[in-house]
Amino acid sequence: GETAKTFRDFYMECYTDAFGDELSKMRAGEGGDNMRVDFLVHCIEAGIDVFSGVEQDLHVEAMRPIKKRNRLPVQARTAK
């Protein structure tokens, strides 16, 4: 089956999309300083904790295609 993307995947993808060139330059720089890049990635990952579990769930749910999202039954959506 298809595994849903985790919030970590989403969060890290945002950073690598925005700063991928810079990360690649750091890796290719003087001596290919992977320790600096690894430490930076670790620091970025630490920022995940800023988001509550509910916020993380909302981001993950928003990333899913509409037909795969958890939806309430029609009667629950239309009940007033």
Side-chain angles (χ1 to χ4, degrees), residues 7-9 11-13 15 37-51 56:
F7 181 76
R8 183 203 173 278
D9 295 334
Y11 185 83
M12 295 306 291
E13 187 176 299
Y15 269 95
V37 174
D38 292 343
F39 181 71
L40 179 59
V41 168
H42 174 74
C43 291
I44 293 169
E45 286 177 327
I48 292 171
D49 295 336
V50 171
F51 296 90
Q56 292 182 21

